[in-house]
Amino acid sequence: MKLTGRPFLILLLLWTLIVPAGTVYLLTAHPLPDVNWLWLGLSAIFGFFSIYFPIIYNGKSIVLFVWFTLPVFLLYGLTAEVLVTQLIVITAVLSKAHTGDVLYRLLYNSLAYFLLSFLSAAAFALAGAEVGSLAFGSLVTGVIAYQVVYSVLYDAIFKLYGTLTRRMRRNTMRETLFHYFRLLLVVPLAVSLYYMLMFYGAIGYVLIGIPFFLMTYLLRVNGQREDLTGFIQAAGKIGQQLAAMTRGNEINEEYLTKASSLFSADYIYLYDAYEGWLEPRYFYADGKKQTPPTVRLAAGQGIAGRLLSGETSELFTRREQWIRQTVTVVPENLESLMCIPLIRHQKVVGGVVLGSSKRNSFKEFHLNVLDLLSSYFVVAAEKAKYIEEAEQESDMCALTGLYNYRYLERQLESEIAALKRGSIDQVALVMLDIDHFKAVNDTYGHENGNRVLQQLSRLLKEQCPSGGTAARYGGEEFVYILPGYSKEKAAAFAEMLRQLIEKTQMTIQSHLDKGLLEETITLTSSLGVAASPEDTDEAMVLLRNADRALYIGAKQSGRNRVGVYVK
């Protein structure tokens, strides 16, 4: 997030009034004593490296540079500690300028740590402790007061930072307690370094600094190993869930929602490969299904198109690295990207792109885990395809070529389940019945009646929206399942369909003495509309509601019209 406008001006004003003015005041009222510049330099260096190479524990960065600045305070007082801390903070922010928001982070962190230094020093003085003292009891009491105030203020200030940058995440009680424990852990370590410097000089940095960074390295390595193990185990569990599914749509939704959750992605795109082109099939934002962009990408075209040509995974940590390569509109807050091809039988069959609004959100090992998870997905999707193809014959109406009631019921249950999971916001049903169809059979014969049903079914299939399902409910009744449709949108679709059917001429054959003669007739239809969750959240109840709207709202009202279910 980039802070602009009035909030930024307020931050700039506060920083100007407090940090430069406060530093000048300290240098004037409490000038630096006779200091050991080597010690100050080493403290600044160790403090900087403690930020640049933080301890990683349980997926979080732990920064303990106060371990090296607190001894400076105990040795030389607040002015020296403020100068060293500000130097560390400014250097650390500038060293990570590639992560963006440099000026904002510089001002905020400089102001935050100045206030921490000043108020913690006040607590030290109020506890009756003195800078440079060797009296162990009073010194420890002062340091504890210093660190308690530092810990509480640190927690409050950086919660405010999370709120301002909209990156606030509520900590658990365990995480909060661990936060205070690790900061209070600084007390014996900082006091130890202080006494070492007082009695043994710069060798104290060797005795404290080397073990500190060795511990940091070991915890980082162990943390990365634990992270990788955790991700692999999670991917394995998701793979087992995918393998147990037999419906392609359910597998796609499960893969996309679980993958975005596993990697904390804000966006996820799933592409399918068709005859040398890559097309987006699914798009999820914040865990919810959205309409994917309409685009066809050739090999090497755009970020996703590169997956077709190179069959290589890619990782981008910030927007500047990839934005010029895009050929479609992308979310304005999209920063990090992770892309991998989907491969089956050594052929690219699609691709998946995960995006995050945060910079440096994805790690290198995430690519390997995503590749593993995607291999589970490809296998599960292929298995489901074979199952669905095998079932399709029994799921299709032989006369009309539309899905039959058996499939309709199963698909409706699936869409309602997706609605309850939050994958879609709404789903609507449109039920259609041919008006006076018995008269068609009686007048022209059942063979022509079947011919009319076939022609109407082709029209219904052609008009079926993308992602929808057209099925024969039974006899001359048909049903559309329309995921993502509101009741109003479904009613508008039904009215369009009613008018189209009324204008469409159906061909029949008349038997004459000299052979067959083709004739045309026109039909009218009555339609009923119901939607979930507005009317119900149960599949069969939704079907009954659409049926009721058809007969009460359309048939009994004169036919050739659309009825909408009302509770």
Side-chain angles (χ1 to χ4, degrees):
M1 172 203 169
K2 293 183 179 180
L3 203 65
T4 57
R6 186 177 179 182
F8 178 79
L9 292 177
I10 293 175
L11 175 62
L12 180 61
L13 178 62
L14 288 174
W15 181 86
T16 304
L17 292 176
I18 295 175
V19 179
T23 303
V24 170
Y25 166 76
L26 288 174
L27 288 171
T28 304
H30 304 280
L32 285 175
D34 185 16
V35 301
N36 187 318
W37 291 102
L38 174 63
W39 293 4
L40 293 186
L42 288 173
S43 295
I45 291 171
F46 278 115
F48 167 76
F49 280 117
S50 69
I51 294 179
Y52 199 81
F53 301 105
I55 298 171
I56 304 297
Y57 179 76
N58 200 24
K60 293 185 176 182
S61 298
I62 299 174
V63 176
L64 294 176
F65 77 84
V66 69
W67 188 345
F68 299 101
T69 58
L70 180 53
V72 171
F73 170 75
L74 297 177
L75 287 166
Y76 303 120
L78 178 59
T79 303
E81 190 268 340
V82 164
L83 293 176
V84 170
T85 298
Q86 291 295 309
L87 177 62
I88 292 171
V89 169
I90 293 170
T91 307
V93 171
L94 294 179
S95 69
K96 296 187 177 182
H98 62 278
T99 59
D101 306 340
V102 179
L103 182 57
Y104 169 65
R105 290 189 296 113
L106 188 63
L107 294 175
Y108 192 93
N109 282 277
S110 175
L111 175 61
Y113 280 103
F114 186 90
L115 293 174
L116 285 172
S117 298
F118 193 88
L119 295 174
S120 300
F124 179 86
L126 289 174
E130 296 182 0
V131 170
S133 171
L134 292 178
F136 183 80
S138 61
L139 185 74
V140 170
T141 301
V143 169
I144 291 175
Y146 178 105
Q147 196 58 37
V148 167
V149 171
Y150 189 99
S151 301
V152 173
L153 290 177
Y154 179 96
D155 188 41
I157 288 173
F158 285 95
K159 279 183 178 178
L160 175 62
Y161 175 84
T163 302
L164 290 175
T165 57
R166 299 176 185 174
R167 296 170 183 169
M168 186 65 187
R169 187 181 74 84
R170 186 179 296 276
N171 287 334
T172 63
M173 179 60 70
R174 181 180 178 182
E175 290 172 330
T176 301
L177 291 175
F178 179 72
H179 158 74
Y180 286 106
F181 170 75
R182 66 182 172 83
L183 287 176
L184 292 174
L185 186 65
V186 168
V187 172
L189 300 174
V191 171
S192 298
L193 178 57
Y194 167 69
Y195 278 110
M196 283 187 179
L197 291 173
M198 291 290 284
F199 289 107
Y200 303 106
I203 192 67
Y205 286 104
V206 177
L207 297 176
I208 293 291
I210 292 177
F212 173 81
F213 287 107
L214 180 60
M215 178 186 68
T216 298
Y217 173 75
L218 292 176
L219 286 175
R220 284 174 68 90
V221 171
N222 183 64
Q224 290 174 354
R225 186 181 297 113
E226 289 181 352
D227 285 347
L228 178 58
T229 301
F231 271 89
I232 291 176
Q233 290 175 347
K237 290 181 180 178
I238 297 172
Q240 292 175 357
Q241 294 170 350
L242 295 175
M245 296 179 174
T246 58
R247 300 292 161 211
N249 287 340
E250 293 180 356
I251 290 173
N252 290 332
E253 291 183 2
E254 185 75 5
Y255 167 72
L256 292 169
T257 55
K258 290 297 178 63
S260 58
S261 175
L262 178 62
F263 298 103
S264 300
D266 300 304
Y267 306 96
I268 183 167
Y269 300 79
L270 179 63
Y271 292 82
D272 279 348
Y274 299 102
E275 300 178 354
W277 297 91
L278 207 61
E279 298 180 4
R281 184 179 176 189
Y282 289 91
F283 170 44
Y284 277 66
D286 297 322
K288 292 191 176 182
K289 192 175 181 180
Q290 309 288 335
T291 302
T294 303
V295 64
R296 296 180 71 188
L297 302 174
Q301 186 181 18
I303 301 297
R306 293 166 61 170
L307 300 176
L308 267 181
S309 56
E311 299 186 15
T312 56
S313 303
E314 293 191 275
L315 179 67
F316 302 97
T317 59
R318 58 188 186 275
R319 190 179 182 89
E320 304 92 86
Q321 296 175 335
W322 55 266
I323 187 61
R324 293 184 180 179
Q325 303 172 36
T326 58
V327 294
T328 59
V329 177
V330 296
E332 292 184 359
N333 65 337
L334 189 56
E335 288 285 351
S336 303
L337 284 181
M338 181 165 55
C339 323
I340 67 162
L342 300 176
I343 300 175
R344 183 171 68 233
H345 304 315
Q346 300 181 339
K347 180 182 178 182
V348 177
V349 295
V352 61
V353 178
L354 276 76
S356 172
S357 59
K358 298 179 181 179
R359 293 192 172 197
N360 302 292
S361 184
F362 305 124
K363 310 300 180 185
E364 286 290 341
F365 76 86
H366 287 167
L367 285 173
N368 296 328
V369 177
L370 180 59
D371 188 58
L372 173 64
L373 179 59
S374 298
S375 66
Y376 292 137
F377 165 66
V378 169
V379 171
E382 186 174 21
K383 183 192 72 173
K385 180 182 178 182
Y386 290 140
I387 293 174
E388 288 177 345
E389 287 177 351
E391 291 180 345
Q392 190 170 18
E393 293 183 3
S394 62
D395 286 337
M396 303 299 289
C397 170
L399 175 65
T400 64
L402 297 177
Y403 289 110
N404 59 22
Y405 178 81
R406 173 186 172 186
Y407 181 88
L408 168 70
E409 184 177 8
R410 191 168 63 239
Q411 184 64 19
L412 182 56
E413 292 283 2
S414 175
E415 297 294 357
I416 293 296
L419 178 72
K420 292 179 178 179
R421 289 197 305 271
S423 300
I424 55 176
D425 294 325
Q426 49 202 350
V427 60
L429 280 190
V430 173
M431 183 175 287
L432 179 150
D433 181 81
I434 302 174
D435 293 332
H436 305 297
F437 186 69
K438 184 177 183 299
V440 175
N441 283 328
D442 292 344
T443 304
Y444 303 105
H446 287 277
E447 183 178 348
N448 277 319
N450 288 340
R451 188 174 286 111
V452 168
L453 289 176
Q454 290 172 332
Q455 293 174 71
L456 178 62
S457 297
R458 284 196 294 270
L459 183 148
L460 297 180
K461 194 171 186 180
E462 290 171 357
Q463 297 302 317
C464 186
S466 176
T469 300
R472 186 184 184 190
Y473 187 61
E476 66 271 21
E477 290 186 320
F478 302 85
V479 171
Y480 280 106
I481 303 175
L482 302 174
Y485 272 58
S486 65
K487 184 184 290 187
E488 292 75 16
K489 187 176 179 181
F493 170 76
E495 177 59 25
M496 179 277 298
L497 200 62
R498 184 196 66 78
Q499 295 180 23
L500 180 62
I501 292 171
E502 188 177 21
K503 296 174 183 178
T504 301
Q505 293 185 331
M506 303 291 175
T507 302
I508 61 171
Q509 292 180 341
S510 297
H511 293 271
L512 300 176
D513 294 338
K514 295 181 180 180
L516 298 175
L517 177 67
E518 286 193 347
E519 295 182 29
T520 59
I521 62 172
T522 56
L523 304 171
T524 62
S525 59
S526 299
L527 301 96
V529 177
S532 182
E534 182 178 350
D535 297 329
T536 181
D537 60 355
E538 298 296 331
M540 292 301 101
V541 175
L542 182 62
L543 196 61
R544 287 196 295 272
N545 289 345
D547 189 40
R548 191 173 304 163
L550 167 64
Y551 280 93
I552 296 177
K555 288 283 188 184
Q556 293 182 7
S557 299
R559 293 185 170 83
N560 192 23
R561 63 192 62 205
V562 175
V564 178
Y565 178 77
V566 178
K567 287 187 177 181

